[in-house]
Amino acid sequence: MSDLKTSLAAGRHYLAIPGPSVMPDRVLNAMHAAAPNIYTGPLLDMMDGLVSDLKAVARTQQNVAIYVSNGHGGWEASLVNTVTPGEKVLVLVNGMFGQGWANHATGLGLDVEVMDFGKRATWDFDRISARLTADNGAIKAILCAHVDTSTSYKNDIAALRRVLDRVGHDALLLVDCIASMGCDRFEMDAWGVDVAVSASQKGLMTPPGIGLVWFSDKAAQRQKSLKQVSPYWNWAPRANPEGFYQYFNGTAPTHHLLGLREALTMLVHEEGIENAWARHAVLARAVWAACGVWGQGGPVDMQVPDAVDRGHAVTGVSIGAPNGTALRDWLSENLGVTLGIGLGIVPAGDPDWHGHFRIGHMGHVNAHMVLGTLGAIDTGLKALGIPHAQGALTAASRVCAGEMI
Amino acid sequence: MSDLKTSLAAGRHYLAIPGPSVMPDRVLNAMHAAAPNIYTGPLLDMMDGLVSDLKAVARTQQNVAIYVSNGHGGWEASLVNTVTPGEKVLVLVNGMFGQGWANHATGLGLDVEVMDFGKRATWDFDRISARLTADNGAIKAILCAHVDTSTSYKNDIAALRRVLDRVGHDALLLVDCIASMGCDRFEMDAWGVDVAVSASQKGLMTPPGIGLVWFSDKAAQRQKSLKQVSPYWNWAPRANPEGFYQYFNGTAPTHHLLGLREALTMLVHEEGIENAWARHAVLARAVWAACGVWGQGGPVDMQVPDAVDRGHAVTGVSIGAPNGTALRDWLSENLGVTLGIGLGIVPAGDPDWHGHFRIGHMGHVNAHMVLGTLGAIDTGLKALGIPHAQGALTAASRVCAGEMI
Amino acid sequence: MSDLKTSLAAGRHYLAIPGPSVMPDRVLNAMHAAAPNIYTGPLLDMMDGLVSDLKAVARTQQNVAIYVSNGHGGWEASLVNTVTPGEKVLVLVNGMFGQGWANHATGLGLDVEVMDFGKRATWDFDRISARLTADNGAIKAILCAHVDTSTSYKNDIAALRRVLDRVGHDALLLVDCIASMGCDRFEMDAWGVDVAVSASQKGLMTPPGIGLVWFSDKAAQRQKSLKQVSPYWNWAPRANPEGFYQYFNGTAPTHHLLGLREALTMLVHEEGIENAWARHAVLARAVWAACGVWGQGGPVDMQVPDAVDRGHAVTGVSIGAPNGTALRDWLSENLGVTLGIGLGIVPAGDPDWHGHFRIGHMGHVNAHMVLGTLGAIDTGLKALGIPHAQGALTAASRVCAGEMI
Amino acid sequence: MSDLKTSLAAGRHYLAIPGPSVMPDRVLNAMHAAAPNIYTGPLLDMMDGLVSDLKAVARTQQNVAIYVSNGHGGWEASLVNTVTPGEKVLVLVNGMFGQGWANHATGLGLDVEVMDFGKRATWDFDRISARLTADNGAIKAILCAHVDTSTSYKNDIAALRRVLDRVGHDALLLVDCIASMGCDRFEMDAWGVDVAVSASQKGLMTPPGIGLVWFSDKAAQRQKSLKQVSPYWNWAPRANPEGFYQYFNGTAPTHHLLGLREALTMLVHEEGIENAWARHAVLARAVWAACGVWGQGGPVDMQVPDAVDRGHAVTGVSIGAPNGTALRDWLSENLGVTLGIGLGIVPAGDPDWHGHFRIGHMGHVNAHMVLGTLGAIDTGLKALGIPHAQGALTAASRVCAGEMI
């Protein structure tokens, strides 16, 4: 019987983790290319459009720098270009990645103040407002995640901007959009964001290897006042290059550019960013509907209680130890689905670490993929005897059918 | 709203048709190769193992010929090597492809007698037995499908062999395994099959372009008695080549060989053919469980009433016109899933043609893929308002969890 | 020292054989595709253009049938649709493949008369004319190769047509263009060819697996008079299909169609067939110039003495046994180049078999590739101490530079 | 005529630039992979071997850090981990990239002293020795290129180490091996190198996107004394990770790892690094032999006069303006070969800029590729009427045949 179950994993394995996400064949095919000419020709000619499309994704008319790096490189770039060692930054945290960015800032010699709202709460804007009101201009930048991949909390960036404006604080607003860009609505210019950080491997459907930093003209001005900016992270030549190599401080990431070009064609030109956001919204609601039903008869519990606070690209779930790890392992071995590990809810050594998992539903994702993942979880709950209410999959298909539940 | 629905089809499109089936990335990667050396080296060296693995898939110790052709080419090869124009063949039909093979035999100048059991019935072994008993040796070969892809009927080949043996009829037994090979248990030698025909694009997980004909030593003897066999279809040099080109009567299908090699490695050496059959069996039961539930509240009705008669690689469904076409179109446009058309149940011009569809679940397929397809159908039924009972997806996940329902 | 030499073969191996030829990355990428929808969509929509481009390559306004087969399948198709067992065909032979087609015709039960001009001669039109004049209408078809890949002789098809017309013989004119299509000028309609046969893996730059048969309206009429045509080879539905599957007598060769589409885009729409012919002509002259110089100081000798009789896609060379095999082996092991074996000049067992090789220069080929191959041969001659005059490579580069030598 | 010439560029375009270099199909295929599991499985399991093979390539038993970056990122990492703003570094320059690294160091706030030996000279060890002797310990690190890609000078690192040892200077020795790693013999431990910097896209045959920094235990000790090291560049966790993500300070460059794994398998395990060096040595001599002959009758002149000072992966050539640009353009348009631009010999605006080019012969390169490139240059010289002596290609093939010229 176990042999038999094992064989249900043959077929195309599905990676339902919150990044690196499933990539389109078209992106991989675009990257299956001979080394291109780097002096002249198509690769150079595509840059204007690529930059323009990257701005469209973040909804900005301002600036963008492309880095050969991962998302942490984007974190470092955003800080190196805006603040100088010893300066104070305020970090709003409701998840592991918010804290991670804070730690990164500390490592760069910044004076880091963390305002931690826990793993299961939204920001307290009163607290934020009071802190900013009390500040005498020492805080040079506010760092926060749009969606924290670990908890799946989505934070209200527009509201944060309103607070800043109301109290008249001049700090730069830096937002980590690594988990949300291309998935959740993000309006850099309309929301008054100064720096947005993302990377290629989630909503942008391209292998990891590209960090992206969008920045406002205000941030660009601030950068000019800094005594020193590392040549690699310096965003000025990258955003306003005189030659092709200046986009990248040296050799271009040729194959990632080809892949990203194809991904942006799909996202911006074929589907449209608004449609992509809408797709993610429905698919997220399908996931939540299933989780909601399961939870009515057992331990399945979404990390974020209120739907309005949930990101559309990832859903954190607690299910009680050791159910989380057991479910993840069973699905991977028996059904061909890998779920995301729970990250940062409890420390790695804690036995309760095995009580969490995450469902990634970002980027190149559709109803078939999500419903298959939910079907796999429903199967796993049954196979492992984890209590749950029936009807979760029906609830998900009702959402995909257009019902508002 | 329609924009929003449309976007649920972005992501990896899923082709749930009964072949060509979803192919493993490994197979496509193996075929993404420079033109290989055809005089010496790896391509030639792999042939012994390839032939051996092909025999393992069909469970035979006898012979196999590889054709650059599709499945119809396999049909033609099987006939050209066993019977001569004017000779009589008996064709057992319960689906469009059985009839298609009969028509092909007619086109080759054979004297074709069709025993048609309709679209919704198994073979009547009494009728078959009576006919064979009455025959005076005129019938040189019996043609039949193991699984007819159009109706999804699976026929009992071992029982047919027993009938032949019981009545002492010497006709060759030719079986079309195009839809079943690698998916449903098939035991060429144990069942006394003389010729089995298949192709690369279904259970063998390789693009269309290879026809396969396994043949018994008895059939090989018969072939030697024929006055003329076309050089292209002649299976003798293909099965016992003196040089590489003789395997293929000329230029080798280099890239298909590379793909087929990878597919057979997965099927025979990694998963094991018995495990693959078991996987298909469970996934088929998951499909049937869902169809069964849907049908309790509406028009969904499997083409084959009795589970024991259903093939494990494809399930034919009737749902009433125009629901079949409406559902297929809606899923393709809105959810990223393409279902198979109904084939051969009613003529193409008949309005009822739009009342049928098929679900392919063959080859490189796992629980995630099948549960996603069923979730998509459940969604479509709801979106289109086609009556159906609730709980189909739960029934499917119960099957995948190992319950015997 | 041998270790050191060995390492010069690392890098991209180059296959300089007369097919399968080097394929464009674009073709392989086009074939690296998920199983496509076969009911509707891009694959079906591309067929009209594909057929039109295939006709453009052969310069005909008449008909074309696409087969899942290799070139020998094309041979069989061409005969099955034009003549009936027992009928007489005349085969003009100056190479192994002409003889091979004759043997194939014999295998199909035709009354085959071979007019063999040897391995080192063009056709004798007086002999042909005399034979046709003497014929009383028994000869139903004339079979011949445009370029025989084994000897690299190119035959004058237009002149043969003029002979037929002059003597008023009504036989169909069937031409094997497997080695020449897309490489050497071929004008089906202007030259009065009735049937042209080719395949995907040479000038058409696609993996082996597709046979192609272009046929005249006159040939189509003849086919209608035949008592029986095998369903698989029957060109009528393939050339005038009512549905997609009729193009292929069953399942479409999906991935080959995608590859062939890309190859024809490059050949017909981007380069232009006339430019491709011109490219092959210059590259062939570069090869010949090098061979000519080598031969002034040693045993290198082109199989075809007169340049006007040489095909532009392959050059047969004799070099004395065992030099041919030694050179081939040395280049493959030491320099990363595989040359074609000598085929059919002497029997395989004859010691002199090792005195021949062929250089393929067909399809996706350019000056870099050909000059690299010639450089490798020049290196091999030196390393093995085979006498040759110096300056061969300079002669080749002069040709590529536009000099008429 | 020009149409005709143009068509000689069809076929596989060849990029003969000094990086990004031609990549093996196997590397690209390895990267054509679905997003892999980043928690467990093959990707994680391969890391030990990858690190071990990277050390084998640089001939060190010490440490290596892998960066998601390009080569300039490697420059930055090497400096951030060894020196602190305000500290003095001495940079030995004989090419544009040596100067570039110096500029990068200045941008990081270091006190940079450049010792420039011009574009056409080796280092003057007496000058270096005198400077180090005069130093009172202020110089913390010496920066230099093993091979400067712009001039193609190869510098004697072992001799530099001997000077350091002789004068008893304790500065760290940092070496840019971007153009040479995997191509020219490099012995990190035996030569007493403290930090070696390279990147994926040249001798390592993988697309750009990975920076590599090997470092000695001495350098590791120095790093621990630094007050601050940027988290992204910090090599300590990367070289001694507790978890997979620490190798990369965040998300792994999944696809580059897959590609690099394949490339190292070819380089280290199949060919062997010593054989790869030997291969590059012979191919370089073939290039030089051709250049030497050309120059006997015209303006072709290698940038590095003495063979012992030339790198084995790239050859800089001067040919007089505007011949360099004219030749490059003509080859690209007419023959399918792209040569490298001359870099840094004269400023970009200078008319003489058009008098230089470079030939890349690095990484996945063999005799066919190099001889084809030389043949193309020979063709271009003739077509453009640039004076040159005849016999260059023969000289190159003699070298490839094993002659020592």
Side-chain angles (χ1 to χ4, degrees), chain A residues 1 3-5 7-14 22-23 25 32 271 275-276 278-279 282-283 330 334-337 364-373 375-376 378-379 382-383 390-391 393-394 396-398 400-403, chain B residues 1 3-5 7-14 22-23 25 32 271 275-276 278-279 282-283 330 335-337 364-373 375-376 378-379 382-383 390-391 393-394 396-398 400-404:
Chain A
M1 194 64 190
D3 275 348
L4 199 150
K5 278 180 187 169
S7 69
L8 297 192
R12 172 175 282 269
H13 202 96
Y14 186 73
V22 175
M23 282 163 300
D25 286 348
H32 200 300
E271 183 174 28
N275 281 329
R279 170 170 53 89
V282 177
L283 295 173
W330 197 89
N334 293 281
L335 303 183
V337 171
H364 189 57
V365 70
N366 63 16
H368 175 262
M369 295 153 99
V370 166
L371 293 172
T373 300
D378 198 61
T379 299
K382 288 171 172 56
Q390 302 304 312
L393 304 179
T394 298
S397 58
R398 285 176 58 198
C400 290
E403 298 184 34
Chain B
M1 196 62 190
D3 276 348
L4 198 151
K5 279 181 188 169
S7 68
L8 297 191
R12 172 175 282 271
H13 202 96
Y14 187 73
V22 174
M23 282 163 299
D25 286 350
H32 199 300
E271 185 174 26
N275 282 327
R279 170 170 54 89
V282 177
L283 294 174
W330 196 89
L335 303 183
V337 172
H364 189 57
V365 70
N366 63 16
H368 175 262
M369 294 153 101
V370 166
L371 293 172
T373 300
D378 198 63
T379 298
K382 288 171 172 56
Q390 302 304 310
L393 303 179
T394 297
S397 57
R398 284 177 58 199
C400 291
E403 298 183 35
M404 297 303 295

Side-chain angles (χ1 to χ4, degrees), chain D residues 34-202:
Chain D
N37 195 325
I38 57 167
Y39 304 132
T40 182
L43 190 69
L44 282 70
D45 297 343
M46 76 160 62
M47 288 308 299
D48 281 352
L50 194 77
V51 164
S52 160
D53 288 345
L54 285 172
K55 291 182 187 176
V57 169
R59 309 281 261 204
T60 183
Q61 306 280 341
Q62 304 184 73
N63 314 283
V64 66
I66 305 169
Y67 293 90
V68 185
S69 78
N70 57 19
H72 285 27
W75 281 353
E76 186 151 324
S78 69
L79 295 170
V80 165
N81 282 284
T82 53
V83 284
T84 214
E87 288 190 325
K88 180 181 278 290
V89 299
L90 176 68
V91 192
L92 310 181
V93 172
N94 54 351
M96 198 185 90
F97 286 96
Q99 183 62 50
W101 200 5
N103 298 346
H104 207 109
T106 301
L108 287 167
L110 299 169
D111 176 12
V112 176
E113 179 178 328
V114 168
M115 194 173 281
D116 193 343
F117 301 92
K119 309 298 187 199
R120 209 162 187 187
T122 57
W123 295 340
D124 178 340
F125 282 107
D126 290 339
R127 247 177 91 192
I128 296 169
S129 180
R131 177 64 188 90
L132 292 172
T133 303
D135 185 51
N136 55 359
I139 296 171
K140 299 303 180 195
I142 298 177
L143 282 55
C144 61
H146 184 208
V147 173
D148 196 295
T149 327
S150 67
T151 55
S152 60
Y153 266 97
K154 176 163 66 181
N155 295 304
D156 190 339
I157 306 299
L160 178 60
R161 163 51 63 197
R162 288 192 296 271
V163 169
L164 278 164
D165 289 349
R166 198 169 56 237
V167 305
H169 200 291
D170 193 44
L172 293 173
L173 175 53
L174 278 58
V175 183
D176 172 340
C177 300
I178 295 173
S180 62
M181 189 65 74
C183 308
D184 287 270
R185 176 178 292 275
F186 178 77
E187 302 275 3
M188 174 161 163
D189 289 356
W191 295 352
V193 171
D194 289 299
V195 179
V197 177
S198 195
S200 50
Q201 77 274 8
K202 304 204 178 193

Side-chain angles (χ1 to χ4, degrees), chain C residues 117-181:
Chain C
F117 302 92
K119 309 298 187 198
R120 208 162 188 187
T122 58
W123 297 340
D124 178 340
F125 283 107
D126 289 340
R127 250 178 88 193
I128 297 168
S129 181
R131 176 64 188 90
L132 291 173
T133 304
D135 185 52
N136 57 356
I139 297 171
K140 299 303 178 194
I142 299 177
L143 282 55
C144 60
H146 183 207
V147 173
D148 195 297
T149 326
S150 67
T151 55
S152 62
Y153 265 95
K154 177 164 65 183
N155 294 305
D156 190 340
I157 305 300
L160 177 60
R161 164 52 59 197
R162 286 193 296 271
V163 169
L164 279 164
D165 288 350
R166 198 171 54 237
V167 304
H169 201 290
D170 191 44
L172 293 173
L173 175 53
L174 278 58
V175 183
D176 172 340
C177 300
I178 295 174
S180 63
M181 189 65 74

Side-chain angles (χ1 to χ4, degrees), chain C residues 7 10 12 25 279 366 378 397, chain D residues 7 10 25 279 366 378 397:
Chain C
S7 69
R12 173 176 282 271
D25 287 348
R279 169 169 54 87
N366 63 16
D378 197 63
S397 57
Chain D
S7 69
D25 285 349
R279 170 170 53 89
N366 63 16
D378 198 62
S397 58

Side-chain angles (χ1 to χ4, degrees), chain C residues 242-299:
Chain C
E242 288 172 21
F244 182 58
Y245 78 98
Q246 287 194 321
Y247 276 111
F248 314 105
N249 192 245
T251 302
T254 52
H255 287 61
H256 270 86
L257 292 177
L258 296 170
L260 189 59
R261 174 61 278 168
E262 191 71 14
L264 290 172
T265 295
M266 295 172 73
L267 184 60
V268 177
H269 296 283
E270 292 174 3
E271 184 174 27
I273 188 70
E274 298 257 9
N275 283 326
W277 292 339
R279 169 169 54 87
H280 280 86
V282 177
L283 294 173
R285 286 199 296 112
V287 170
W288 306 339
C291 290
V293 171
W294 286 322
Q296 289 165 18

Side-chain angles (χ1 to χ4, degrees), chain B residues 53-72:
Chain B
D53 288 345
L54 285 171
K55 292 183 185 174
V57 169
R59 308 282 261 203
T60 184
Q61 306 281 341
Q62 302 184 75
N63 315 282
V64 66
I66 304 169
Y67 293 91
V68 186
S69 78
N70 57 18
H72 285 28

